[in-house]
């Protein structure tokens, strides 16, 4: 993030990474947006190019092929991707969600098997939590994995899974033990080429159309028992709860960038566009609206940078991460909508970036836990 260089991590290192990430995004992401929206996925080669550029698994230790950095490094890439206007590439799921699960909980064998190829782009990772009937309620997961000798046999379905069309490895949330609720949930590493594993359709979304959110089906998929993440079944819910604050912080980063980008682009547009013989910016309503939006963005940035600093110190609690996710995504929707309004009819035209920013931003209030779930998380710690 723009404030990342001030969080205690080496500023020169982060600045160099930011330049690399910005150039990569401008060259490899920006020119392909329309085509990716049409095909509903990025090119598989993009992952290899990112791997060669050293932009995958930035916070994973070098011994596992990663960049050896911290979450601050991941945040820089997430921000530059968002600033480029791209929501198609599922690098955040791959590097800031899936890889940290393996690093934090994986056995030495699991880390050595999967993290190095994830860092090169040879392996693309996804995590399959959500099911058609569960939404944000992870305790209601119905996918089951029954033990048969030295194997688990997994049956169930997942939906809204980012990277689903290209994933080689999927971390599947499944019920391995008896009972309901949080008890008996495990995270299981499933290769996508196993018999019974099937990819469903790419879902037709109103926004983020270049991203391949899809359905996944597991029909008696057999995996070795040692594919349970960490080797100890029944730990899945605790693992999810420990990692979700970082995922929600990542969403907050993209929301804040959406606000800043909307304000910047709208300032430029209103200073160039004329109406009734005056620049649109010269109308008091325009100036006041942008003053409010710029203030919202500045406040959000300050809060976000504080959360990032807390996270880097290991002090970001679940409630504060939920506050960041809830507050920034709600404010971003409002700010982007106000900025689109200042574009007039052109703001509704697909050729203007503000139109994509507007529709892409809406889902941020839903995934990673809805706004309503965030309020529940916050209220429980009041």
């Amino acid at each position: 993030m723009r404030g990342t260089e001030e969080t205690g991590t080496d500023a020169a290192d982060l600045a160099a990474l930011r330049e690399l990430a910005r150039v990569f995004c401008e060259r490899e992401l920006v020119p392909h947006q329309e085509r990716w929206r049409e095909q509903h996925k990025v090119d598989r080669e993009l992952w290899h190019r990112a791997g060669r550029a050293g932009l995958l698994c930035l916070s994973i230790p070098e011994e596992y092929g990663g960049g050896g950095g911290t979450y601050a490094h991941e945040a820089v890439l997430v921000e530059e991707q968002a600033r480029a206007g791209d929501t198609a590439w599922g690098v955040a799921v791959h590097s800031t969600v899936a890889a940290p699960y393996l690093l934090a909980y994986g056995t030495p064998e699991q880390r050595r098997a999967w993290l190095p190829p994830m860092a090169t782009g040879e392996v693309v990772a996804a995590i399959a939590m959500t099911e058609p009937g569960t939404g944000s309620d992870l305790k209601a997961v119905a996918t089951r994995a029954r033990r048969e000798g030295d194997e688990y046999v997994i049956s169930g379905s997942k939906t809204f899974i980012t990277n689903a069309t290209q994933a080689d490895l999927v971390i599947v949330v499944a019920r391995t033990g008896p009972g309901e609720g949080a008890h008996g949930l495990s995270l299981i590493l499933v290769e996508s080429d196993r018999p019974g594993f099937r990819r469903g359709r790419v879902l037709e979304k109103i926004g983020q159309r270049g991203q391949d959110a899809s359905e996944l089906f597991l029909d008696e998929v057999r995996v070795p028992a040692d594919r349970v993440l960490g080797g100890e079944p029944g730990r899945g819910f605790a693992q999810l709860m420990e990692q979700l604050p970082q995922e929600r912080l990542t969403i907050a980063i993209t929301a804040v960038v959406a606000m800043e980008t909307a304000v910047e682009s709208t300032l430029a547009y209103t200073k160039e566009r004329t109406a009734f013989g005056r620049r649109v910016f010269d109308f008091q309503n325009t100036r006041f609206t942008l003053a409010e939006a710029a203030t919202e963005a500045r406040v959000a940035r300050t809060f976000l940078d504080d959360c990032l600093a807390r996270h880097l110190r290991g002090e970001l609690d679940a409630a504060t991460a939920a506050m960041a996710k809830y507050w920034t995504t709600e404010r971003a929707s409002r700010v982007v909508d106000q900025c689109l309004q200042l574009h007039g009819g052109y703001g509704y035209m697909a050729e203007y970036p503000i139109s994509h920013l507007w529709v892409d931003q809406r889902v941020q209030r839903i995934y990673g836990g809805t706004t309503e779930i965030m309020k529940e998380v916050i209220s429980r710690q009041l």
Side-chain angles (χ1 to χ4, degrees):
M1 300 180 302
R2 282 183 174 177
T4 305
E5 286 84 346
E6 301 175 4
T7 59
T9 304
D10 185 81
D13 182 44
L14 290 173
L17 172 63
R18 184 178 298 283
E19 181 61 24
L20 171 64
R22 181 180 294 118
V23 171
F24 182 88
C25 291
E26 290 175 351
R27 183 180 69 242
E28 302 291 352
L29 305 185
V30 173
H32 308 294
Q33 292 298 301
E34 184 174 352
R35 180 168 59 82
W36 288 345
R37 291 187 191 107
E38 292 174 356
Q39 68 186 28
H40 300 313
K41 61 181 179 181
V42 301
D43 303 324
R44 185 62 177 80
E45 176 59 23
L46 174 64
W47 294 96
H48 297 294
R49 290 174 181 161
R52 289 194 293 269
L55 291 174
L56 298 179
C57 300
L58 289 163
S59 60
I60 299 302
E62 293 179 2
E63 65 180 294
Y64 297 116
T70 68
Y71 180 75
H73 295 80
E74 304 284 6
V76 166
L77 177 58
V78 169
E79 183 174 57
E80 291 307 314
Q81 179 191 8
R83 203 168 297 283
D86 176 72
T87 58
W89 186 28
V91 67
V93 169
H94 177 90
S95 292
T96 71
V97 179
Y101 274 100
L102 278 158
L103 181 65
Y105 311 115
T107 64
E109 293 77 18
Q110 290 169 345
R111 295 173 185 171
R112 287 194 295 268
W114 294 110
L115 289 174
M118 285 174 63
T120 63
E122 177 186 350
V123 164
V124 174
I127 184 164
M129 302 185 200
T130 307
E131 297 181 357
T134 65
S136 297
D137 186 5
L138 291 173
K139 293 181 181 179
V141 164
T143 296
R144 292 195 175 271
R146 70 178 186 273
R147 183 73 180 260
E148 290 190 0
D150 294 331
E151 294 181 316
Y152 278 102
V153 184
I154 309 171
S155 293
S157 61
K158 302 290 183 177
T159 194
F160 308 141
I161 308 304
T162 300
N163 293 340
T165 66
Q166 298 179 337
D168 305 286
L169 174 69
V170 181
I171 303 175
V172 176
V173 181
R175 196 168 294 283
T176 53
E180 301 299 329
H183 303 291
L185 288 180
S186 299
L187 305 185
I188 304 178
L189 307 175
V190 180
E191 300 99 322
S192 60
D193 60 357
R194 288 191 171 272
F197 183 99
R198 180 166 59 88
R199 307 175 205 266
R201 63 192 175 97
V202 176
L203 301 169
E204 283 287 343
K205 307 184 297 298
I206 61 171
Q208 300 194 2
R209 296 178 60 82
Q211 186 248 78
D212 67 342
S214 306
E215 301 167 317
L216 293 177
F217 301 97
L218 300 102
D219 184 14
E220 299 284 287
V221 176
R222 291 181 174 271
V223 299
D226 65 7
R227 292 298 193 274
V228 172
L229 186 64
E232 183 182 350
R235 290 277 303 148
F237 190 78
Q239 293 166 346
L240 289 165
M241 292 303 101
E242 289 170 4
Q243 292 296 316
L244 278 172
Q246 178 165 297
E247 180 179 346
R248 289 164 179 165
L249 182 59
T250 302
I251 294 171
I253 291 173
T254 58
V256 172
V257 173
M259 298 169 76
E260 293 171 341
T261 303
V263 171
E264 290 168 5
S265 63
T266 306
L267 274 170
Y269 177 83
T270 56
K271 289 180 178 180
E272 295 172 358
R273 184 77 177 171
T274 59
F276 303 102
R278 303 166 62 188
R279 296 187 308 170
V280 174
F281 182 78
D282 292 331
F283 291 93
Q284 187 184 68
N285 178 69
T286 302
R287 298 197 310 275
F288 282 13
T289 298
L290 285 170
E292 293 169 2
T295 302
E296 294 253 35
R298 180 74 63 83
V299 172
R301 167 62 65 184
T302 302
F303 179 32
L304 177 63
D305 285 346
D306 177 67
C307 289
L308 176 57
R310 289 170 181 260
H311 186 50
L312 292 172
R313 295 194 303 265
E315 300 172 359
L316 182 67
D317 61 277
T320 305
M323 290 177 182
K325 197 270 184 186
Y326 141 63
W327 198 86
T328 59
T329 57
E330 290 287 336
R331 291 306 184 277
S333 283
R334 184 167 72 185
V335 165
V336 174
D337 187 76
Q338 291 171 329
C339 288
L340 185 148
Q341 186 72 15
L342 292 176
H343 282 71
Y346 289 105
Y348 205 65
M349 299 297 105
E351 65 189 276
Y352 281 80
I354 192 70
S355 67
H356 298 292
L357 192 60
W358 180 71
V359 73
D360 289 347
Q361 177 60 36
R362 182 59 181 84
V363 74
Q364 300 254 49
R365 293 155 58 189
I366 298 173
Y367 62 30
T370 64
T371 290
E372 291 72 25
I373 294 295
M374 295 305 96
K375 292 177 181 179
E376 281 288 344
V377 172
I378 297 163
S379 65
R380 288 170 188 167
Q381 294 194 30
L382 292 180

